[in-house]
Amino acid sequence: MATTISVIGLLAAAALFIVVVWKGLDVFTSTILVSFIIIITSWMNWWDSLSNYASGYTSFISSQIFVLVIGAVFGEMMAASGAAESLANVITEKLGVKNVILSITVISTVFVYVGISGFVVLFVIAPIATVMMKRAGYAYRMIPGIIFIGATCSAMLPYAINVTNTIPASIIKEQLPDEAVSLGSAPLLGVIAFVVSTCVGYFYMVHAAKTTAVKEGTVVDDTKPVKIVPTRDDLPSVGISVIPFIVVVALVLGLSNLTEMDSNAVVVLSMFIGCVLLVLFCHKQLGNTLKDVIGKGVSNGVGATVMAAAIIGFSTVLQGSIGFTAIQNWVLSFDMNPYITEFLGLNILAGIMGSGTAAVQTFFQYFTVPLVNKGASTAALHRLAPAAVTGMNTLPNAGGMVAQLNWMKISLKDGYWYVFVTSVLAPMVGAFVACLAAMVLY
């Protein structure tokens, strides 16, 4: 009976979390509120539980703050220097109006792959995408859904500079030092998940955009060449703009394969050098604003870290409940392939917690060893994680996604369906196909 009540409390907490985040309550207050639902329904000591919350909160900050902060600083520098706009403009002009959705997808994929936060990517791309979509005759409300194609699927690729790629590697190294994996482990699975997910999201958005344009009478002549007008006169050349990207990716590849350096250390060092190159090559564009740009990046990075840490704190309380233990044992009792268990487990946790970061950390802490004991490959488990955890990561309880729609002045009613297809449904399809491939290859 006590276990049943605890499970009901856990589910009620997850449901309330969706509601309060949707209503705009800050993440810290929200997680404390729903933590107390779990504490009460599981008869847990409230002060010990809050202490566990604090431990999870601070532990995440200590392990991930440098990765998230340096990524945010790099993103702000790319935006402020004009390097991001320079690259985006060239891609758009080369691909043309009829491929505007492909252009936005490519841009967001490249930007997020090298570690620029999804928050920053939307802020950088949205103004450019607005012009592009208008010229193509496509609806403004579809922009977030298109950006999310690349922003969510790029993390699936091997060597992606993303916490859902670095966290599993770190935990596997800690729990199974003899089975350490690199940021590029099991690359084929990541490519399969990325290609399938991207194709599902992309072709749906192309169909939806064209159908809506016909219905709303906004179809334009897509045979005319497109010329993007820069927003500033001092944009760096595309050659200069692409150098930091190439260097960051090359360093991640090299350091991951040629050294024993910790995966987080690889990301931080690579991104730091990318920032230095931006300062050297774009000092004219950054000028006297460099101090403010760095400050804004640090502020955004710390804010993102604190938001994720609050959800990790909530997950720590959740893990201490008898309901969570019951669910964990229930999942492990399934007579199914370990990769399918990972697919289901990560999606369920991401949906409950509203955070892929929290879900992937919780899952690998509790399920890595049991699944390896069932015959799973650590490399395959690692590579499937960024794909499997993406599916339920942008439900309406995802504070970041709601904030982005609000920033663009797009209501959930008008814009969320497209986000759901490209960042929930499409990744789930891609992840499942990758799971099937893992069952054959591993």
Side-chain angles (χ1 to χ4, degrees), residues 44-58 312-318 320:
M44 300 162 67
N45 182 288
W46 70 275
W47 186 245
D48 289 344
S49 297
L50 288 184
S51 297
N52 290 334
Y53 178 105
S55 296
Y57 185 98
T58 56
I312 293 293
F314 162 62
S315 74
T316 306
V317 175
L318 182 150

Side-chain angles (χ1 to χ4, degrees), residues 145-158:
I146 299 171
I147 293 176
F148 269 102
I149 298 173
T152 56
C153 298
S154 58
M156 303 174 185
L157 289 168

Side-chain angles (χ1 to χ4, degrees), residues 365-382:
Q365 283 177 340
Y366 283 85
F367 288 86
T368 299
V369 174
L371 291 182
V372 170
N373 289 339
K374 282 190 171 185
S377 160
T378 52
L381 289 175
H382 174 214

Side-chain angles (χ1 to χ4, degrees), residues 217-421:
T218 57
V219 179
V220 298
D221 182 2
D222 61 11
T223 61
K224 296 180 180 179
V226 61
K227 179 67 177 178
I228 298 296
V229 179
T231 61
R232 51 196 285 187
D233 298 326
D234 63 342
L235 289 179
S237 68
V238 66
I240 291 296
S241 301
V242 79
I243 290 176
F245 278 109
I246 294 175
V247 170
V248 168
V249 173
L251 283 172
V252 169
L253 289 171
L255 294 174
S256 296
N257 288 298
L258 302 177
T259 72
E260 296 295 323
M261 190 180 296
D262 181 85
S263 56
N264 281 0
V266 168
V267 170
V268 171
L269 179 59
S270 302
M271 298 291 284
F272 174 76
I273 292 175
C275 290
V276 171
L277 291 176
L278 280 168
V279 173
L280 292 176
F281 294 152
C282 301
H283 60 275
K284 176 183 176 182
Q285 289 83 1
L286 292 170
N288 297 327
T289 66
L290 180 59
K291 181 178 68 174
D292 294 333
V293 170
I294 293 175
K296 184 178 180 181
V298 170
S299 178
N300 289 340
V302 170
T305 306
V306 168
M307 179 182 292
I311 300 175
I312 293 293
F314 162 62
S315 74
T316 306
V317 175
L318 182 150
Q319 292 162 26
S321 69
I322 56 177
F324 179 79
T325 302
I327 292 174
Q328 178 186 345
N329 293 334
W330 176 62
V331 171
L332 289 175
S333 69
F334 288 165
D335 185 17
M336 64 173 61
N337 186 277
Y339 304 124
I340 300 299
T341 300
E342 179 182 24
F343 172 78
L344 294 174
L346 282 172
N347 272 290
I348 291 170
L349 286 174
I352 291 174
M353 298 176 178
S355 166
T357 301
V360 79
Q361 177 154 319
T362 301
F363 182 88
F364 275 83
Q365 283 177 340
Y366 283 85
F367 288 86
T368 299
V369 174
L371 291 182
V372 170
N373 289 339
K374 282 190 171 185
S377 160
T378 52
L381 289 175
H382 174 214
R383 182 53 44 222
L384 290 172
V389 81
T390 300
M392 304 288 278
N393 187 34
T394 45
L395 292 180
N397 61 333
M401 180 274 298
V402 174
Q404 290 171 335
L405 289 178
N406 287 340
W407 178 77
M408 292 189 67
K409 294 180 171 54
I410 298 175
S411 68
L412 283 167
K413 178 182 177 181
D414 289 337
Y416 182 69
W417 169 249
Y418 305 110
V419 173
F420 175 79
V421 172

